[in-house]
Amino acid sequence: MGIAITEEHRALAASVHGFARRNITARGMDHEPFRAALAAQGLLGLHLPERYGGQGGGLQELAVALEALGEHCTPGSHLPTVLASAVIARATAAHPLPSAPAPAVNTPAQDASAVDASAVDASAVDASAVDVSALDAPVADAPPSRDTSLPVHGLLAGLADGTLTAAVALPGGARAAAAGPAATALGSPGADLFVLPLPDGRWAALDRADCAAEGLDGIDLSRRLAAVTAHAVPDDRVLGGVTSGLVADLAAVLLGAEACGVAAWAVTTAAGHARVREQFGRPIGQFQGVKHKCAAMLVALEHARAAVWDAARALDGDGPPDEAALAAGTAGVLAADAAVRCAADAIQVLGGIGYTYEHDAHLYYRRALSLRALSGDPGEWAERVAGLATGGVRRRMEPDLPEEAGALREGIRASVASLAGAEPLDRLARLAGEGWIMPHLPRPWGRAASPLEQVVIHQEFRDLKRPNLGIAAWAVPSIVRYGTPRQQERFLPKTLTGEIMWCQLFSEPGAGSDLASLTTKAVRVEGGWSLSGQKIWNSLAQWAHWAICLARTDSDAPKHEGITYFLVKMSSPGVTVRPLKEINGEEIFNEVFLDDVFVPDDLVVGQVGQGWRVARDTLSHERVALGDSWGPGSRHTDMVRLIGELGGPGALRPAALEESGRLWASGQALSALGLRVTLSQLSGGESGTASSVRKLLGMRHSQAVSEFCWSLAPASPYWNRMILTTRAFTIGGGTTEVQLNIIAERALGLPRDP
């Protein structure tokens, strides 16, 4: 998924990509016709009120566009100009808005596909070199600059229609300015406006005539930097209500959105090269080292996208200011770092060609490095995040639901109230009988709940605990889909009430993640089958009443065929369970030995020989379930609770404080990623490989939190247990390495292993 997840935002992203393909080369320069084309498309004013010639959108729309433009390494003044207008727009709340109509501006086109591609001649740009001094230079036929001696909000129209360009000083950004009061600004020294901090902490939008600006050498070849000093500050140019924190937050979102675009280009380019570049007789994308590198790039990108998306909606007003600051800090920690990592890894995958000046890879790497320097040190962002989180700030992660959710909620809330007043055993029977335990299942086992109804049920049942089915949560959907009516009636009611406990007999000593290599055999006998073999890593098998079990019924069939899905009674003769003591001292896993265990025909689920299809259904439910949970006691919220118990952030060493902020940002972005998946499903979209991405990130995050908390409290029995327990999280349910293969092959189209 891109930053865009709604239908409207995806259409916007596609439109901007179309515009960019016609009008941008990575080595192109920001000349006047290009800026006019941006304005004509409304891309300079997506986030501005319509009274100023804007599109009436917000930072979410602007972030979608910036990500798309970032994939094309948009040169010149576009980013600093829209950042400046975003800052100035925030100041209008501190000034009376003018009652007179705004100055007339050109009406921006609504559809990028309507742009006349001939309006911008990208071929006129010399692709062999970049003349930095020419960036943002005026051209002979440029329209006259707008009079900027207007009240501060009057500047927005000129920024929206392209007659004004701007540069913005970035708090905490690159410290490359000359000695003295000069501020380092993103933008050309020849810009019309400079948004700068004043010595008293206020900010102002100043004309070029009121400033002294010199160009600075930066690593980015297609975007200017300037050292700027103000020598006159008219009162009507002071941006009331604007603070350095606000400017930094807006920059984190907008620079972060472009960083996601840079990372997206890197992922696409690396994967495309890996699919076709051959070495040693096969595509390099088939080598696991390359495959995993590309998959890890995509994982980092999706993590960053979730953070930027959430920060954009927070700054658009979805939540109080402290939540917005926390969300922006999370984007500051993750986004630019992801771009640098992905751009560097793309060069690695490209090999020697990626290190040449002729290839565009170095331009994207330069852009990524520049964005990271300008948006601020991720470590400093992490310290800020840690301060907010330990101070009690929490980011709300709730979907904005459509109006029809209200009618659903009324009935569900009444049912919850009725259930809350029932006796415990009656309540359990009703939860199962009314379909509340797994509401997505078809009736009578669930409620055939739509994605919207599932979200409302989840929200309304927060204070009324529903049973945790454990392994049964993976088995029940497969029995519902493939089981016979008799099997469903026999097993499902008692499973949903907790009277039947299940385990899973899939993995074997020689067939873990490679499940189709199992060797447990099922031989046809009178009235059923005789199963023999060994299973391992079987959670809770010592207490289970029944098991879902895979066994090979046809040894001559291809690897993924000839496998049958059985229901095995764990008290059957020939079943031996031997608990395995784990590194944390507990006995959750088991070995299970099957010695001529009889299973009648009526306990085969699905067709004989087609068990792999049923197993895949079971495993898909397992991955979703694991993706929703990172394991008990290993969340970023538990980490902050521990820090409070130890005396608060002041008790941490600076390095530990920074690490806690990085972990919080990671966890918060994971929550945002989960919310994005939910919203995508609500709008009828597919999660794609999101469950694998979430599992991979979630399990690693859980381990990292446990390791960090143990380092703070090594004498704690709880964290002693958790640091050992979470070691299993990147193994169970599909190892990290298998998840990377799935992501690389399904999302990036890299060739499968032989």
Side-chain angles (χ1 to χ4, degrees):
M1 294 187 287
I3 290 176
I5 57 173
T6 67
E7 183 178 352
E8 294 80 5
H9 284 175
R10 288 194 296 267
L12 171 63
S15 181
V16 175
H17 275 297
F19 166 81
R21 280 190 291 270
R22 290 188 296 272
N23 298 314
I24 300 174
T25 66
R27 297 165 186 255
M29 294 184 297
D30 189 31
H31 52 105
E32 188 67 29
F34 174 57
R35 187 161 72 244
L38 284 168
Q41 288 305 292
L43 296 178
L44 295 177
L46 274 173
H47 55 302
L48 296 178
E50 293 180 6
R51 66 168 65 91
Y52 300 119
Q55 301 295 303
L59 292 182
Q60 294 176 78
E61 288 73 26
L62 185 55
V64 167
L66 284 170
E67 180 186 35
L69 291 170
E71 287 197 52
H72 302 270
C73 210
T74 309
S77 65
H78 173 253
L79 179 59
T81 296
V82 296
L83 175 57
S85 61
V87 172
I88 294 170
R90 298 286 165 142
T92 59
H95 295 275
L97 288 172
S99 56
V105 296
N106 297 329
T107 302
Q110 301 296 317
D111 183 359
S113 62
V115 175
D116 181 3
S118 64
V120 180
D121 183 9
S123 64
V125 179
D126 181 6
S128 64
V130 178
D131 180 7
V132 176
S133 65
L135 295 177
D136 304 311
V139 294
D141 58 350
S145 293
R146 181 177 301 277
D147 179 7
T148 59
S149 61
L150 299 170
V152 65
H153 19 284
L155 302 173
L156 295 176
L159 294 170
D161 71 9
T163 54
L164 291 179
T165 61
V168 183
L170 297 174
R175 300 178 178 86
T184 300
L186 172 63
S188 169
D192 301 300
L193 287 174
F194 294 94
V195 176
L196 302 173
L198 303 177
D200 60 6
R202 296 180 299 165
W203 282 70
L206 304 177
D207 292 341
R208 185 192 313 163
D210 294 325
C211 302
E214 296 181 2
L216 293 173
D217 292 331
I219 199 167
D220 189 337
L221 297 182
S222 56
R223 184 173 285 158
R224 302 297 307 277
L225 296 177
V228 188
T229 304
H231 45 67
V233 183
D235 288 341
D236 62 359
R237 292 305 185 83
V238 175
L239 303 175
V242 172
T243 65
S244 293
L246 174 62
V247 177
D249 288 350
L250 291 169
V253 174
L254 302 189
L255 273 65
E258 187 178 76
C260 288
V262 170
W265 177 91
V267 171
T268 300
T269 301
H273 182 76
R275 285 194 294 269
V276 299
R277 171 64 169 167
E278 292 193 358
Q279 289 284 277
F280 306 102
R282 54 184 175 138
I284 63 171
Q286 202 172 59
F287 297 118
Q288 195 169 76
V290 175
K291 182 178 293 186
H292 286 188
K293 185 178 289 292
C294 292
M297 291 165 64
L298 179 60
V299 169
L301 168 59
E302 292 296 344
H303 206 193
R305 278 172 167 162
V308 171
W309 168 82
D310 184 54
R313 72 189 191 101
L315 283 165
D316 271 343
D318 182 18
D322 55 357
E323 279 194 29
L326 185 63
T330 296
V333 172
L334 295 175
D337 256 1
V340 172
R341 171 183 174 179
C342 290
D345 284 350
I347 293 175
Q348 183 70 24
V349 172
L350 289 165
I353 187 64
Y355 191 68
T356 63
Y357 193 86
E358 286 73 18
H359 198 284
D360 286 343
H362 76 100
L363 298 177
Y364 286 86
Y365 183 49
R366 290 170 180 271
R367 174 63 55 85
L369 290 169
S370 177
L371 289 171
R372 185 168 66 180
L374 291 165
S375 60
D377 184 347
E380 294 180 4
W381 278 114
E383 291 178 8
R384 180 183 176 195
V385 165
L388 289 166
T390 55
V393 179
R394 299 290 181 269
R395 177 74 181 117
R396 171 183 171 272
M397 291 292 179
E398 293 287 345
D400 294 323
L401 301 180
E403 290 184 6
E404 54 264 35
L408 288 171
R409 192 180 303 279
E410 184 177 346
I412 293 168
R413 185 169 291 173
S415 296
V416 170
S418 175
L419 287 162
E423 292 295 325
L425 290 179
D426 291 340
R427 181 190 306 145
L428 181 59
R430 285 184 55 191
L431 285 168
E434 296 174 16
W436 297 111
I437 297 177
M438 301 186 76
H440 64 287
L441 295 179
R443 296 182 187 273
W445 318 116
R447 301 181 62 83
S450 67
L452 176 59
E453 186 175 357
Q454 291 176 53
V455 171
V456 177
I457 290 172
H458 174 75
Q459 292 175 338
E460 293 301 317
F461 271 86
R462 281 201 176 105
D463 296 326
L464 184 64
K465 186 176 181 180
R466 290 177 287 172
N468 182 354
L469 297 182
I471 303 296
W474 311 331
V476 166
S478 295
I479 296 175
V480 168
R481 183 173 182 181
Y482 293 100
T484 65
R486 183 176 177 182
Q487 290 170 345
Q488 293 169 358
E489 291 291 345
R490 179 178 178 183
F491 293 106
L492 296 182
K494 291 185 177 181
T495 297
L496 293 172
T497 58
E499 296 172 72
I500 296 178
M501 181 181 291
W502 291 81
C503 68
Q504 179 175 280
L505 304 182
F506 280 12
S507 295
E508 298 182 2
S513 296
D514 185 15
L515 184 56
S517 296
L518 61 88
T519 59
T520 295
K521 292 185 178 180
V523 179
R524 168 65 76 180
V525 297
E526 183 177 353
W529 300 82
S530 177
L531 277 59
S532 296
Q534 179 185 356
K535 300 292 184 175
I536 199 168
W537 317 126
N538 315 118
S539 299
L540 309 177
Q542 69 270 52
W543 297 299
H545 305 103
W546 286 85
I548 50 177
C549 178
L550 292 181
R552 190 167 293 284
T553 48
D554 184 352
S555 300
D556 296 326
K559 181 177 180 179
H560 291 85
E561 298 177 18
I563 295 172
T564 301
Y565 195 105
F566 295 96
L567 304 180
V568 177
K569 190 172 185 179
M570 292 299 288
S571 60
S572 299
V575 176
T576 302
V577 178
R578 186 171 76 85
L580 296 170
K581 181 168 287 191
E582 298 146 32
I583 63 174
N584 60 7
E586 298 177 353
E587 295 180 349
I588 302 298
F589 294 145
N590 299 268
E591 286 182 295
V592 176
F593 299 89
L594 305 172
D595 185 12
D596 291 330
V597 177
F598 175 72
V599 179
D601 282 323
D602 62 1
L603 294 181
V604 172
V605 180
Q607 298 180 8
V608 172
Q610 297 299 311
W612 184 251
R613 178 181 300 176
V614 186
R616 287 189 63 183
D617 183 79
T618 299
L619 292 171
S620 69
H621 286 284
E622 178 182 9
R623 289 195 178 103
V624 170
L626 288 173
D628 285 338
S629 173
W630 312 332
S634 52
R635 298 171 182 267
H636 52 303
T637 49
D638 298 298
M639 172 192 68
V640 165
R641 189 178 304 114
L642 173 64
I643 292 173
E645 293 170 357
L646 295 175
L652 301 183
R653 293 178 294 105
L657 182 65
E658 177 182 330
E659 180 64 15
S660 70
R662 290 183 183 274
L663 288 170
W664 182 277
S666 175
Q668 184 167 298
L670 265 170
S671 298
L673 181 57
L675 178 57
R676 280 165 56 81
V677 171
T678 298
L679 292 173
S680 180
Q681 291 172 333
L682 286 173
S683 64
E686 297 289 337
S687 62
T689 57
S691 60
S692 289
V693 170
R694 291 175 66 203
K695 178 188 185 303
L696 186 69
L697 285 170
M699 297 304 102
R700 285 177 169 174
H701 174 74
S702 184
Q703 291 175 340
V705 168
S706 295
E707 290 169 5
F708 176 74
C709 289
W710 179 83
S711 74
L712 298 181
S716 164
Y718 178 78
W719 289 109
N720 272 321
R721 173 177 170 268
M722 289 312 303
I723 192 174
L724 298 173
T725 298
T726 55
R727 274 298 95 207
F729 285 11
T730 49
I731 300 173
T735 66
T736 295
E737 291 70 28
V738 169
Q739 297 298 327
L740 287 170
N741 278 353
I742 291 171
I743 293 166
E745 293 168 5
R746 297 184 185 176
L748 299 177
L750 295 184
R752 296 176 63 87
D753 287 329

